[in-house]
Amino acid sequence: MTATTHIMTEADTCRELVTPKLVEAGWGHVPHVIGEQRTFTNGRIIVTGGRVRRGKQKRADYLLYYRRDYPLAVVEAKELGLPAEAGVQQAKEYAEILGLKFAYATNGHRIIEIDYTTGTEREVDRFATPAELWQRLSAAIALPDPATPHLLEPFNLVSGKVPRYYQQIAINRVIEAILLGQKRVLATLATGTGKTCVAFQVCWKLWSSRWNRTGEYRRPKILFLADRNILVDDPMAKMFAPFGDARHKITGGDVSQSRDMYFGIYQALSTANEDVFRQYRPDFFDLIIIDECHRGSSRNDSNWRAVLDYFAPAVQFGMTATPLREESRDTYEYFGNPVYTYSLRQGIEDGFLAPYRVHRVITTVDAAGWRPSKDELDRFGRPVPDDEYQTKDFERVIALRARTQAIAKHMTDFLKGTDRFAKTIVFCVDQEHAAEMRQQLVNLNSDLVQQYPDYVCRVTADEGAIGLTHLAHFQDVDKPTPVILTTSQLLTTGVDAEMVKNVVLARVVGSRAEFKQIIGRGTRLKVDYGKEYFNIIDFTGTATRHFADPDFDGEPARIEEVTIDEAGETVESVVETPPTAADEQGDDAVGSTEADAGQGEILTEPPQEPRKFYVDGGEVEVIGHLVYDLDTDGKKLQVVKYTEYSGRTVRTLYPTRDALQSAWANPDTRAEVLRELTERGISFEELAASASQPDADPFDLLCHLAWNAPLLTRRQRAERAKKATQDLFGQYGDTARDILTLLLDKYIERGIIQFNTLSELMKVQPFDRYGSPAEIATRHFGGIQPFKEAVTRLQTALYQ
């Protein structure tokens, strides 16, 4: 070898040695495309210290395509100075992720071929040709020759969205199964990973290539089936738009049979008065796609099962976000094992889904239960049965207004401490509970409701078109409101709202399948709009019970647990009991609709049937904001006291007290400190209560918890600051000195955070008697800039 050979980089090796050999083997000539430096993941989103960064993307040196949308092999190249074996492990890893049967590792001179169809790994003298690899693959999966054009039909890319790698695998696996004669096919993809895209491309490829189950030269008849209008209307109008006039929605009064792409819901196909589906021949459809197929249609005792049984001749393709678990066993028994599974864990790892944080919040009645006092009457004068009521009973058997108020207040405080315009969905027990929750949230956020009347909205079946309008505005990333939606059942599935940052559980969710659907409302990413992770705020213990599925769900980015009582003492954790069989079926029962979920308005007259008892009195408080945190290895969940967690967080962000003091003393950098602490779930009000230090300055409290530094009260700091700035007070007149003194008084009363909203502070009593902020600055301080400098110096003096 020459001297220049030894210093060839990997890029040189690819350009001068690898690419020519691929071209020589027939790759790179239409239609056999060479994809160079193809990135196929986005890199996991990592949230640390309030900052978000991306992990490393996965990138293949080469992907070899038999057709534009059908890759056959991956090639991992290493620089000439390394052995070809150095790339074997990475080539195999990428091939397995990408679902490919062939992989190559090369250093430009030597080539190692990994063939998964034969289970062999050997050195070869050249790359296989496109025809050779296609022949090997076809033989391995026993693909009949007539099937080739259907499998290789290009994707429809009119929208500009190229299916992600895992979507391509799912599409091709489903079509392979259909072409091999499989009558029932299942794909399991986590919510937010684009099941509708998969369904559309499957339909498009089969429709465009004129596949049908009889082998005739005609386009297939396809039915897209779901259990809710929102699940069929949105795909029909958007994703499936390229089908144009071939689309048709089946309703009771319109059962046209002249189209190719049909959409329908079970309820319209089988009404109480008529089996509409029987107006079609049993062999009318070639393919039926069942979206959210875990929702009952495949159960033996389901009323909707009759639709699938009637159309038995059709190939039936089910899509679900729920892995095989006891409550989804019927789905898997009906469809068989999935041809492809893409989990929430993998979606987060690849950077396509948002990581999550879990907040477990406990009220007094959820911790200890609730029991009526002797001879207690409800809102309508009915005696409340003497019993011990627990979380599962609230809003089902007994409606405690005080509990709803406590939940609404905690949510409001949470949003005030983070982002009051963070899109939030609150899942309530029934429509009535959703109405009550909406009303409480409206009253607690009246300042914003005054400006934005639709800041909080209820979206249930009762709202009809109005509710759907609210939902459409909620989904629109460019509309600031609605911010908070309260619902019960309607929004558990099919709501593609990328900006949801908070998923609130105000009801027990017994079914893990439904839980995964609910959590899926927050998993969608919208990085360009600031949506990079989401919070699960759990008032019922649902999350801690159902996140027992690490293989599918993965581990959270952070789960917070802080348990406090009125005295700031740690409250013992409540042992979670496994769901009963009744719980497992209750929330996800066949035929469950919004109408089943209870009356929509807050009751002021006694109901004809006593569905539940209504108790308006009493007090309920939040006694625990539970925070589960991952250990330093990022693997094991550990429970920490809020004060310990806060001290540890401060030490992570600022290694020394001097570093924190330097950042805190400057009003500009202090804003960044406060933002970082808020992002990590630290509330000064909650922290002061937990540490039993209501008068402590936030800075001193943080230093005390992080480094055991002595505590100073806000009053002590204010007195020191005034002494240290006598010259500042001396250079102004009486009114200016009064204003600076008032600022210190407000600091003593409310803390340093108020200084960051100075213009708002100056508009309220007693500052308003001196005029507007601009008038105060001009008349008494000589201008806006001198006024700002005086206030900045005062703030800095507080932390000298």
Side-chain angles (χ1 to χ4, degrees):
M1 296 183 185
T2 65
T4 55
T5 303
H6 288 289
I7 61 172
M8 287 182 71
T9 65
E10 183 177 305
D12 295 333
T13 302
C14 289
R15 182 178 61 255
E16 297 180 24
L17 300 175
V18 180
T19 301
K21 290 186 177 182
L22 289 170
V23 173
E24 185 181 345
W27 301 98
H29 303 293
V30 178
H32 312 303
V33 180
I34 298 177
E36 295 187 59
Q37 294 298 311
R38 290 295 175 91
T39 299
F40 56 91
T41 72
N42 284 353
R44 182 188 178 112
I45 289 179
I46 302 167
V47 185
T48 53
R51 293 186 176 92
V52 176
R53 63 182 177 87
R54 284 278 189 178
K56 188 176 180 180
Q57 297 175 313
K58 289 184 169 64
R59 177 182 296 139
D61 290 331
Y62 296 92
L63 283 177
L64 306 181
Y65 291 84
Y66 187 66
R67 292 290 188 274
R68 185 194 72 182
D69 301 321
Y70 200 92
L72 282 182
V74 61
V75 179
E76 176 61 26
K78 296 298 180 184
E79 62 188 76
L80 185 57
L82 295 175
E85 287 81 359
V88 167
Q89 193 56 46
Q90 191 167 333
K92 292 176 67 175
E93 177 191 351
Y94 285 1
E96 289 165 16
I97 291 173
L98 294 169
L100 302 176
K101 297 298 184 183
F102 308 104
Y104 290 94
T106 181
N107 64 357
H109 280 172
R110 297 174 57 233
I111 303 171
I112 297 174
E113 180 186 79
I114 301 103
D115 185 338
Y116 285 89
T117 67
T118 59
T120 58
E121 181 179 314
R122 62 195 177 97
E123 186 169 345
V124 294
D125 58 7
R126 65 174 178 83
F127 291 102
T129 67
E132 288 170 344
L133 288 190
W134 177 253
Q135 186 176 15
R136 285 194 232 170
L137 179 66
S138 299
I141 62 178
L143 196 66
D145 287 339
T148 300
H150 307 307
L151 188 59
L152 299 181
E153 178 72 25
F155 295 138
N156 182 302
L157 302 180
V158 171
S159 67
K161 291 185 178 180
V162 178
R164 294 168 176 166
Y165 84 86
Y166 62 86
Q167 294 170 333
Q168 293 186 26
I169 299 172
I171 293 161
N172 291 330
R173 293 272 179 87
V174 169
I175 292 178
E176 283 176 17
I178 292 172
L179 297 177
L180 290 171
Q182 196 168 319
K183 298 290 289 183
R184 293 173 183 170
V185 184
L186 179 66
T188 302
L189 294 95
T191 301
T193 55
K195 292 190 294 295
T196 307
C197 171
V198 171
F200 166 69
Q201 295 291 358
V202 167
C203 293
W204 182 263
K205 283 166 72 79
L206 295 177
W207 186 75
S208 299
S209 64
R210 295 181 179 268
W211 166 89
N212 58 74
R213 58 183 180 77
T214 62
E216 304 170 31
Y217 187 71
R218 63 171 175 82
R219 296 194 189 276
K221 301 287 188 181
I222 304 172
L223 172 63
F224 187 98
L225 188 60
D227 70 335
R228 298 185 185 187
N229 279 308
I230 195 171
L231 294 178
V232 297
D233 291 345
D234 197 59
M236 180 178 172
K238 298 176 183 176
M239 186 72 74
F240 284 79
F243 280 95
D245 292 339
R247 294 169 297 167
H248 175 72
K249 184 178 179 182
I250 301 172
T251 58
D254 188 358
V255 289
S256 169
Q257 300 188 16
S258 60
R259 310 293 181 88
D260 294 330
M261 189 71 231
Y262 294 81
F263 297 82
I265 62 171
Y266 298 104
Q267 295 91 328
L269 289 173
S270 181
T271 67
N273 301 320
E274 179 187 11
D275 283 340
V276 176
F277 64 87
R278 296 187 186 277
Q279 296 186 36
Y280 296 89
R281 301 188 318 276
D283 62 353
F284 181 81
F285 293 109
D286 297 284
L287 173 66
I288 299 178
I289 296 175
I290 304 98
D291 194 15
E292 309 292 1
C293 64
H294 65 278
R295 292 188 58 81
S297 58
S298 58
R299 288 217 296 255
N300 289 326
D301 58 351
S302 167
N303 294 329
W304 299 335
R305 175 68 173 272
V307 177
L308 299 187
D309 288 341
Y310 180 79
F311 293 120
V315 175
Q316 297 178 8
F317 166 36
M319 299 187 298
T320 181
T322 306
L324 175 58
R325 296 295 179 265
E326 189 57 42
E327 66 269 25
S328 61
R329 187 164 300 281
D330 285 329
T331 300
Y332 283 75
E333 287 180 354
Y334 183 82
F335 287 102
N337 290 328
V339 294
Y340 185 65
T341 297
Y342 189 74
S343 66
L344 174 63
R345 178 192 61 78
Q346 191 61 53
I348 293 174
E349 186 65 34
D350 287 342
F352 296 126
L353 295 180
Y356 58 88
R357 293 171 167 181
V358 179
H359 301 253
R360 172 74 171 99
V361 185
I362 298 177
T363 71
T364 48
V365 293
D366 289 280
W370 182 85
R371 190 168 187 172
S373 57
K374 186 177 181 182
D375 300 326
E376 181 157 359
L377 303 179
D378 81 344
R379 181 185 305 165
F380 307 116
R382 298 175 299 180
V384 180
D386 185 19
D387 202 349
E388 194 76 42
Y389 298 97
Q390 305 294 336
T391 301
K392 63 182 176 60
D393 303 314
F394 298 139
E395 303 304 326
R396 296 184 186 277
V397 180
I398 194 87
L400 300 179
R401 176 168 286 176
R403 178 176 179 266
T404 301
Q405 290 171 338
I407 291 173
K409 184 179 186 306
H410 189 276
M411 284 172 48
T412 299
D413 291 342
F414 181 87
L415 290 174
K416 285 180 177 178
T418 52
D419 177 5
R420 294 189 76 183
F421 284 88
K423 294 296 178 80
T424 302
I425 302 180
V426 187
F427 290 94
C428 302
V429 173
D430 55 24
Q431 294 192 73
E432 184 185 337
H433 187 210
E436 178 87 45
M437 187 68 72
R438 187 202 68 84
Q439 187 178 87
Q440 298 297 337
L441 287 166
V442 164
N443 292 335
L444 289 165
N445 293 276
S446 57
D447 58 329
L448 287 179
V449 173
Q450 185 177 14
Q451 186 177 357
Y452 302 98
D454 61 348
Y455 179 77
V456 188
C457 295
R458 187 184 72 156
V459 177
T460 63
D462 278 1
E463 276 76 32
I466 296 175
L468 294 178
T469 300
H470 288 321
L471 177 58
H473 292 169
F474 181 82
Q475 292 172 293
D476 189 335
V477 295
D478 294 321
K479 290 188 182 298
T481 59
V483 172
I484 305 173
L485 297 186
T486 66
T487 188
S488 56
Q489 297 280 342
L490 190 63
L491 304 184
T492 56
T493 59
V495 178
D496 188 8
E498 297 165 303
M499 288 303 295
V500 173
K501 291 185 178 180
N502 300 308
V503 175
V504 181
L505 299 173
R507 68 175 170 94
V508 173
V509 181
S511 163
R512 185 172 291 172
E514 188 183 19
F515 172 73
K516 292 186 189 304
Q517 295 295 329
I518 288 174
I519 295 311
R521 301 313 104 212
T523 57
R524 289 167 174 81
L525 277 171
K526 197 68 176 174
V527 176
D528 50 337
Y529 279 78
K531 162 69 185 301
E532 295 165 312
Y533 63 89
F534 72 104
N535 297 297
I536 301 167
I537 306 171
D538 179 16
F539 289 91
T540 65
T542 292
T544 50
R545 182 167 72 246
H546 286 317
F547 269 128
D549 199 0
D551 288 340
F552 194 82
D553 299 320
E555 298 289 358
R558 191 179 89 200
I559 311 183
E560 304 186 355
E561 176 152 334
V562 178
T563 325
I564 56 174
D565 59 17
E566 293 173 294
E569 298 296 325
T570 300
V571 177
E572 292 184 1
S573 299
V574 179
V575 177
E576 302 291 348
T577 57
T580 64
D583 290 333
E584 290 288 350
Q585 180 160 344
D587 292 320
D588 203 33
V590 176
S592 176
T593 66
E594 285 287 341
D596 299 328
Q599 298 181 36
E601 300 304 320
I602 301 171
L603 291 184
T604 56
E605 296 294 331
Q608 294 180 349
E609 296 294 331
R611 294 186 301 108
K612 50 188 172 183
F613 294 91
Y614 302 83
V615 178
D616 296 338
E619 293 185 3
V620 176
E621 296 180 350
V622 170
I623 61 166
H625 181 162
L626 304 174
V627 187
Y628 298 73
D629 195 22
L630 291 175
D631 65 9
T632 53
D633 294 328
K635 295 179 180 179
K636 182 181 177 183
L637 292 177
Q638 57 186 15
V639 180
V640 294
K641 291 174 67 174
Y642 193 44
T643 51
E644 293 173 358
Y645 165 78
S646 301
R648 189 177 69 192
T649 298
V650 171
R651 290 194 300 273
T652 299
L653 296 173
Y654 302 94
T656 65
R657 184 182 185 278
D658 288 343
L660 175 62
Q661 183 169 7
S662 177
W664 191 276
N666 185 319
D668 296 327
T669 55
R670 185 189 311 124
E672 177 63 18
V673 176
L674 296 171
R675 188 190 66 79
E676 287 181 327
L677 295 174
T678 298
E679 285 286 344
R680 303 199 76 169
I682 295 176
S683 158
F684 287 121
E685 287 186 8
E686 193 170 355
L687 194 58
S690 180
S692 299
Q693 298 291 342
D695 298 324
D697 179 90
F699 170 77
D700 291 303
L701 185 55
L702 292 175
C703 290
H704 178 69
L705 296 174
W707 299 287
N708 200 30
L711 279 169
L712 290 178
T713 65
R714 294 192 294 274
R715 183 173 297 280
Q716 288 173 319
R717 280 207 171 272
E719 290 172 353
R720 288 186 179 189
K722 192 166 186 178
K723 289 180 181 178
T725 54
Q726 284 300 315
D727 60 326
L728 175 67
F729 279 81
Q731 72 183 74
Y732 294 114
D734 291 342
T735 302
R737 287 197 295 271
D738 288 344
I739 291 171
L740 292 176
T741 301
L742 277 173
L743 282 172
L744 287 176
D745 290 342
K746 284 296 180 183
Y747 157 73
I748 294 171
E749 178 187 346
R750 300 182 180 182
I752 197 67
I753 299 175
Q754 292 299 321
F755 276 54
N756 293 312
T757 55
L758 187 62
S759 61
E760 292 299 319
L761 181 66
M762 301 298 287
K763 292 178 183 177
V764 300
Q765 293 181 347
F767 295 101
D768 57 345
R769 68 170 179 249
Y770 298 106
S772 68
E775 291 171 338
I776 291 173
T778 303
R779 291 177 185 173
H780 306 296
F781 290 88
I784 292 177
Q785 191 57 38
F787 179 45
K788 287 183 176 179
E789 290 173 358
V791 173
T792 297
R793 186 178 169 191
L794 191 63
Q795 291 192 72
T796 303
L798 285 168
Y799 298 102
Q800 291 295 332

